[in-house]
Amino acid sequence: MQIGSYQAFAVPTGLFALDGGAMFGTVPKVIWNKSNPADEKNRIDLEARCLLLVSAKHKILVDVGCGESLVEKYGEKFAAKFIDMYKLDRTKNSMEASLKRLGFTYEDITHVILTHLHFDHAGGATIFRDGNLMPTFPKAKYFVQKRNLATARNPNVREKASYFKENFIPLEEAKCLEVLDGDIENLLPDISVFNTFGHTEAQQLVRVGPAAAPLLIYGGDIVPTSSHVRLPFVMGYDLQPLVIIEEKKKFLTSLAQSKGIVFFEHDPFMDGARVQQDGADFTVSEKINF
Ligand SMILES: [Zn+2]
């Protein structure tokens, strides 16, 4: 799909699962279970879907999924527990396989924008290669927000299980991590980042096109699935539910006006959507598959 001056591709990196109750916060199970049926452990399927933006000069990835080399990163025992608990399944899709299908390799990627360093977004940033943990994309410059890096280094008790130093320390050691401080207009041609604070400290969302008329916004963990387009659908994981609702309202309003696309990182059924205002709330007006 053409988005401005970029060819845009969805890059699914594999399914995982999280507790349905945690994904939908105060929304009752009788409602969310219809669209996202829970398994025997009450988990719902989620995709770890990244966005690839390609121009003549750039091949830009937004987020990188849960990644591989779990045994080398976390140890055999914890890796097994991790795979079981989160139902990690890369049999259908992985970063490597999805890029290959599109005709690209790890070496082709020029930039990686990490929305935040939770493992399901940044786990794929590093890989075990030649006996060491190192950047997965050897030629890429990686971007992260300063305040998110700080919280990842020293996580609060609620987020401790989501931030692992193995996913970002090797980037710092390889000197390929560029730390951003705040919103940046045109970080890359036609691509801007803006900070949000409802989900975690300084999650940067990515916008293609101007603020007044966005073509696409990467919803990250502010609008992880199509169900979360609805304003009260807020995850139990989020640090500041009321803040997230305001953040969501602001960028969904601009997308509804510009008929731009919100990209869903975690929706198991669709890559993105156009949205419309529905009274004081929002709904999906058109499903988009790239
Ligand atoms: Zn997150």
Side-chain angles (χ1 to χ4, degrees), residues 10 49 261-265 267 269-273 288-290:
R49 180 183 296 107
I261 293 168
V262 55
F263 187 93
F264 301 128
E265 187 158 8
D267 196 293
F269 310 115
M270 67 183 99
D271 298 337
I288 304 280
N289 281 311
F290 280 63

Side-chain angles (χ1 to χ4, degrees), residues 129-145:
R129 198 184 277 145
D130 305 328
N132 280 304
L133 269 183
M134 57 180 69
T136 305
F137 306 95
K139 293 178 182 158
K141 180 189 270 188
Y142 289 69
F143 297 106
V144 72
Q145 283 289 325

Side-chain angles (χ1 to χ4, degrees), residues 9 47 56 65 71 79 87 93 97 124 126 175 182 186 213 219 231 240 243 245 248 259 276 280 284:
F9 302 97
E47 182 58 73
V71 171
K87 216 176 166 180
N93 289 309
T126 60
K175 301 196 179 351
N186 296 308
L231 293 179
Q240 304 188 78
V243 170
I245 289 172
K248 195 153 75 160
K259 297 193 164 49
Q276 62 194 1
V284 166

Side-chain angles (χ1 to χ4, degrees), residues 149-226:
L149 182 61
T151 201
R153 272 192 224 282
N154 191 15
N156 60 63
V157 284
R158 267 177 70 113
E159 294 184 277
K160 232 185 165 92
S162 297
Y163 284 122
F164 297 94
K165 62 182 187 319
E166 290 80 0
N167 296 332
F168 54 89
I169 298 289
L171 304 179
E172 296 186 294
E173 288 171 352
K175 301 196 179 351
C176 63
L177 187 65
E178 186 168 331
V179 180
L180 308 174
D181 193 5
D183 301 353
I184 314 268
E185 284 296 310
N186 296 308
L187 172 69
L188 293 160
D190 222 16
I191 295 176
S192 305
V193 295
F194 59 98
N195 274 266
T196 60
F197 294 88
H199 172 64
T200 185
E201 179 76 6
Q203 173 183 202
Q204 56 183 352
L205 296 190
V206 177
R207 190 186 74 233
V208 185
L215 300 171
L216 177 144
I217 292 176
Y218 190 88
D221 271 348
I222 302 286
V223 187
T225 78
S226 53

Side-chain angles (χ1 to χ4, degrees), residues 115-121 159 162-163 199-200 203 220-222 235 237-238 265-266:
T115 59
H116 61 304
L117 296 169
H118 282 166
F119 71 82
D120 51 325
H121 300 253
E159 294 184 277
S162 297
Y163 284 122
H199 172 64
T200 185
Q203 173 183 202
D221 271 348
I222 302 286
M235 294 191 283
Y237 298 112
D238 297 329
E265 187 158 8
H266 293 318

